Structure formats: structure tokens, C-alpha cells
Amino acid sequence: MFFSDSAAAIYRRWLKSQTALACLAVLLFALSAAFCGLQLEPDYFWHVKLGELIVQHQSIMEADTFSWTAQEYPVTEFAHSWLGSVVIYLFSLLGRYFSYQHAGAILYELCFYAILFGVLLFVQRQDISDLGSDLTVSSLLAIFPALCTVTVSPRPQAMGYILFALTLYLLRSWEKRKGSVLRVYFLPLIALLWANLHGGTAPMMLAFCAGTLLVSFVRVEAGQFTFNETPRKRKIHLAAATGLSGITMLINPYGFKLFLYSFLYNNSACKEGIQEWMPATIYSGFGLVFLALFAVIIAFSNRKFTLVSIVPVILSGGLTLLYVRGTPYLGIAMSFFLTDSLARYTGDIGRPVKKGILWGVLLCISGLLLLYGGVHFPETRDTWEKASWHVSDTMANEIKSGHYKRLYNDYNTGGMLIYYGIPVFIDSRADLYPEEVLRDGKELSTLTGNPEEILTRYDFDAILVDTSSPLYDYLSINSKYHLEYEETNLALFEPNNRM
């Protein structure tokens, strides 16, 4: 033994303190980066309104109450993220204590970012310690894939990312036989939370659990892959935990129907016209980059990998190739795979950076990012308020005073109209609307169809349009309509024959 017991104890205390400092530094860095890239988007507003109604009525409405099209078309409310909407609504209440009325979205995003990266650092703390003597560099390396791919957004799916990271941690602990096998029985609790916070993606958890379990039975010794015999008892525990997860996932307002959500409500109009539902391409960024990195590590590593250890990357990579929205899950899976792969090697990675220099650089970067975010927040807020989907208080009051029954609005402005209690034509809950309504809305806003026929068929009594859209130019020169009210980003038209 190279060290005495007292020296080893001192080293362990130092390692723990360094781990704590490294985690704190990385969290500060992540928060700083998040502060400079905050987003405010239409989905946030209808989630706030939905959460408010659920809290007030203590129930989830069955019929859609946000759109006037629900009276004529089969638009049924499917609040698969009802609990997530309640959480966002509560954050919006906290935001009212600040000078900016939508500060709740910022608080939610910063809180989510801190929790996600805190979870990633905590569950990978052993591998981080094994990477090298400089824990801060190792910690940054551990969260880098997720930092690149997880978009800061005030939506319930952000909570699903955190639950996904916890799921991978439990599966990884099971595969590596670290800690008690009984840890896998936390999976049913995660399933219960996921089914109600963002139920649309919750069944994905069962796919990862079942995939891990099935692959553990595969015996293969070829190339870079090896078979790691898993004790029968551990397989039984994982099978039981997976089954219980499926049962607890049924504890949601929609029961088994939640498992069919993606098939019943994900229509082709969503896939064709909405970016996050589209297949990934080379332009979708880091998703395919990390798949390539994964292949390189497998090909050139001098250590072998078990099939179970690569299941999360394979499944999340497949999801990414199907939909752009799968990229964050791939980033989180790659965070685990990267630290696990590099921790296989002993010794330091490269030449260790002196702690003092690293801390100085990291704190300076974080400080500058925070300062930049603080100084430019008014400018960022102005950018949000000038966005094509942003509905001002004045515009909302103008629409309300018109008492319109059949208002036209485009896909993006619907969220804020719902926030103000104004019935919409369509909104970003695209998976609830019939394909024909979504297509007509898109064709009218872009003038790719027959605008006159669509306007006549829906008999709109007011039209809210983006001032930079082709529809704005079309209505401006159309003798059948007149401009009722206009702001920088939006204009309200009325038909001349409106009674």
C-alpha cells in the first residue's frame, strides 16, 4: 500500500471537497451559459393558462376550451403534461414578484438547467473522479454533450430530460453492479412522475428499460463487443421494476391511452410543417456529431464494450434520426457513455491544469457571461416582445373589445392568445388539431394555397397576421378587408361586411 490510512483519509476528504468545488464551478458555468441563451416561446403561455385552469378547477377539462375550432372539428384536450403545466404555472406566479411579467419562464429555465447538470454530475461522480486529477476539467467533459444538445426552453419536456438522466443512472448502476440491486425499484416512481409531468414521452422510459433487459440475455464475443454475464437475480429485479414502471405509468388522467398518444395525435401535418417533429438531418447539429463520436470511440478503443452499456446511445440515436426533438436525449446518453469510456483508462488525461489557473479562468468566463446576460437582458426582452408571435397587452385588449367569435391566427401566436383568454383558430398544440385545419392555417399564412377559398370557408370575422407575412400584404390590398389595428409585429384586419 502506497499511503498510510491517515494519508488515504486525507486524500478522500480532498477528493470529496474537490468534487464539490468542481460541481459548483460547472453549475455556475452552466447557469451562466443558460442565462445568455434563454428562450421565451409560445408554448410557455398556453402551459401557464392550462396550469392555472387545473389549479382553479382542480380537474382536467376533457373538451378543448382554448380554440373556437373545437366547436366544429374534433379537437379534444389531451393534457398529457398536465402536472408539468401546473409546475410552469407556479413558476409564473413566482415571476410576478419581478419587474418583468414573464420572469417565471426565466426562473424555470435556470432552475431546470441547474437541476439537470447537478443530476448529471452527481450520478457520474465516480467516473468523474477516475478521469484525472483535475476534476473541474473532467466535470466539464462529463456534461459537455448535454450542454451542447439540451435546449433551454420553458416547457414540461425539460422535466423529462431530468427523469431520463435518473433512469439512465439506475440502469447503469444495475449493469455495473454498483450499489444495491434494489435501486432499480426507484424506476416505478420515476415512471409515475414522468407519466404526469410530460406523459407524451414517458413510454420511452419503458423502451430503454426493456431494451437493457433484453440485451443482457445476448451472448456475443465479437470485435469490440463482449458479453458480461448478469446474475439471474439482477435480471429478475430489473424485469419486476420494469413491469411495475408500466403499471405506475398507468396512473395518469388518460390511463392506457397515454401509450397511444404518439400514434393517435402525431399526424402527418405535424411531421411536415413543425421543425421539432421532423427527421434529423446533417443540419440538426450535435445529434449526428455525437453519433459519429460514438462510432469512433467504439472503433478505436482498446477496451471492449458490453452491449448493455451502449443500449442508451443506440436507442436515443435512433430517436434522433427519426425526430429532431430526440437530440437532447442523445446528448444526455452520450454524457454517460463519454465519461464511462474515458474513465476506463488509468492516469490523467493529458497534462493536469493547475487548479488555481483553471478556477480563475472558469470564474472569469462565468462572471463575464452573467454580466453579459444582465446587461443585455433589456435588449433580449425587446427581441422577445418584437417577435412575430408576441401579443402585447394593448393588442390583446383590442381583440377582446372586438368580441370576435372566429378569429384567425397563425400557429405561433395562438399560445399568447390563449394566455389572454382569447379563443384561437390554431396554436402550437398541433398534435390535437385535425390535419386539414393545420394545413389550411399554414397555407393561408404563407399564401401557398387558395387564400380566398380558405377565408370564405372558415368565415373569419377578424384576422391577426404577422406584419412581415405574405398574408399581411395580401389583405392590405384586398378591398374586402380593412386594417383595424396595427403594431410593429402584428396587424388586425376585419372583413368589411362584418356585422
Side-chain angles (χ1 to χ4, degrees):
M1 188 172 181
F2 295 100
F3 301 102
S4 64
D5 291 342
S6 60
I10 292 173
Y11 174 75
R12 283 194 296 270
R13 286 197 298 270
W14 174 84
L15 184 62
K16 289 180 180 179
S17 65
Q18 287 295 292
T19 301
L21 289 174
C23 289
L24 180 62
V26 175
L27 282 177
L28 178 59
F29 178 82
L31 282 171
S32 303
F35 195 82
C36 294
L38 295 175
Q39 297 185 31
L40 192 64
E41 55 182 50
D43 280 24
Y44 168 76
F45 298 97
W46 70 257
H47 276 298
V48 170
K49 194 64 178 180
L50 178 60
E52 180 184 10
L53 291 177
I54 292 173
V55 170
Q56 287 179 352
H57 299 286
Q58 298 185 4
S59 64
I60 301 173
M61 61 290 297
E62 295 182 2
D64 176 55
T65 58
F66 296 150
S67 65
W68 59 262
T69 45
Q71 301 170 15
E72 304 172 21
Y73 296 88
V75 182
T76 303
E77 183 63 67
F78 194 98
H80 65 88
S81 56
W82 72 271
L83 187 56
S85 296
V86 170
V87 171
I88 290 177
Y89 167 64
L90 295 177
F91 268 93
S92 75
L93 295 181
L94 288 176
R96 295 176 185 179
Y97 292 98
F98 296 84
S99 58
Y100 182 55
Q101 63 174 331
H102 304 310
I106 299 171
L107 293 175
Y108 174 80
E109 290 174 335
L110 292 177
C111 184
F112 147 71
Y113 229 73
I115 293 175
L116 174 62
F117 290 109
V119 166
L120 285 175
L121 290 168
F122 174 76
V123 300
Q124 299 183 88
R125 61 192 182 280
Q126 183 59 55
D127 285 340
I128 289 171
S129 299
D130 291 342
L131 287 179
S133 62
D134 198 301
L135 293 174
T136 311
V137 169
S138 304
S139 300
L140 283 170
L141 182 64
I143 69 166
F144 175 71
L147 187 66
C148 292
T149 57
V150 178
T151 304
V152 186
S153 177
R155 300 166 68 178
Q157 67 191 49
M159 298 176 234
Y161 299 151
I162 296 171
L163 296 175
F164 180 68
L166 290 172
T167 299
L168 293 191
Y169 163 65
L170 293 174
L171 294 177
R172 193 160 170 260
S173 298
W174 175 85
E175 189 258 334
K176 290 180 171 295
R177 306 176 198 176
K178 291 183 177 180
S180 171
V181 69
L182 299 180
R183 282 183 181 178
V184 294
Y185 289 103
F186 281 107
L187 289 172
L189 176 60
I190 293 175
L192 175 63
L193 290 172
W194 203 337
N196 292 280
L197 287 170
H198 193 247
T201 57
M204 179 176 67
M205 173 191 171
L206 297 180
F208 278 79
C209 292
T212 300
L213 180 62
L214 291 174
V215 170
S216 69
F217 288 93
V218 177
R219 294 177 175 271
V220 61
E221 290 284 351
Q224 294 294 90
F225 302 105
T226 185
F227 174 73
N228 186 14
E229 181 66 52
T230 303
R232 180 170 176 269
K233 183 178 178 181
R234 296 185 77 86
K235 293 178 181 177
I236 292 174
H237 281 298
L238 181 56
T242 302
L244 289 173
S245 297
I247 293 173
T248 57
M249 202 171 282
L250 293 173
I251 306 175
N252 70 82
Y254 304 98
F256 184 76
K257 193 176 180 181
L258 182 70
F259 292 92
L260 304 176
Y261 165 77
S262 296
F263 303 99
L264 295 177
Y265 292 93
N266 183 13
N267 60 59
S268 59
C270 290
K271 296 176 183 178
E272 294 174 6
I274 302 170
Q275 183 182 15
E276 64 181 348
W277 286 99
M278 292 181 180
T281 67
I282 192 64
Y283 303 107
S284 62
F286 289 99
L288 297 184
V289 171
F290 283 127
L291 284 177
L293 176 61
F294 168 74
V296 168
I297 292 175
I298 292 290
F300 293 99
S301 175
N302 60 0
R303 302 294 181 91
K304 292 193 173 185
F305 298 85
T306 63
L307 290 179
V308 171
S309 68
I310 65 173
V311 165
V313 179
I314 296 296
L315 291 180
S316 57
L319 183 65
T320 298
L321 293 177
L322 287 175
Y323 303 116
V324 173
R325 61 166 50 189
T327 307
Y329 300 102
L330 176 59
I332 293 170
M334 279 298 297
S335 289
F336 284 93
F337 178 76
L338 196 59
T339 49
D340 179 48
S341 301
L342 295 177
R344 292 164 177 261
Y345 299 90
T346 58
D348 299 332
I349 299 176
R351 185 177 180 180
V353 181
K354 289 185 177 180
K355 182 178 64 176
I357 295 176
L358 178 70
W359 270 96
V361 171
L362 190 61
L363 289 174
C364 284
I365 292 174
S366 298
L368 288 172
L369 285 172
L370 285 170
L371 179 62
Y372 174 85
V375 169
H376 288 274
F377 176 72
E379 179 182 332
T380 304
R381 182 180 60 190
D382 289 343
T383 302
W384 290 341
E385 293 178 351
K386 292 177 182 177
S388 61
W389 50 262
H390 190 276
V391 180
S392 68
D393 292 341
T394 306
M395 176 62 82
N397 290 331
E398 185 70 27
I399 295 173
K400 288 180 179 179
S401 66
H403 302 289
Y404 304 117
K405 303 297 184 182
R406 303 177 66 83
L407 171 72
Y408 167 82
N409 62 276
D410 65 20
Y411 175 86
N412 290 318
T413 54
M416 285 206 75
L417 292 173
I418 289 173
Y419 176 78
Y420 285 110
I422 299 171
V424 300
F425 171 58
I426 56 174
D427 63 271
S428 54
R429 300 172 301 150
D431 40 358
L432 303 185
Y433 289 94
E435 290 187 47
E436 61 177 300
V437 175
L438 289 175
R439 292 186 191 281
D440 288 341
K442 179 183 177 182
E443 290 180 1
L444 185 55
S445 64
T446 58
L447 293 188
T448 53
N450 184 339
E452 199 61 41
E453 188 274 329
I454 296 175
L455 289 169
T456 302
R457 176 152 44 92
Y458 286 97
D459 191 25
F460 299 113
D461 55 6
I463 302 172
L464 182 67
V465 297
D466 172 11
T467 53
S468 63
S469 70
L471 182 58
Y472 172 82
D473 297 330
Y474 174 83
L475 295 173
S476 297
I477 59 175
N478 192 319
S479 60
K480 296 181 180 179
Y481 298 89
H482 67 271
L483 180 64
E484 183 69 16
Y485 180 73
E486 182 175 5
E487 293 184 346
T488 304
N489 60 327
L490 292 173
L492 182 67
F493 288 86
E494 282 188 6
N496 293 331
N497 61 355
R498 180 177 184 249
M499 301 301 294

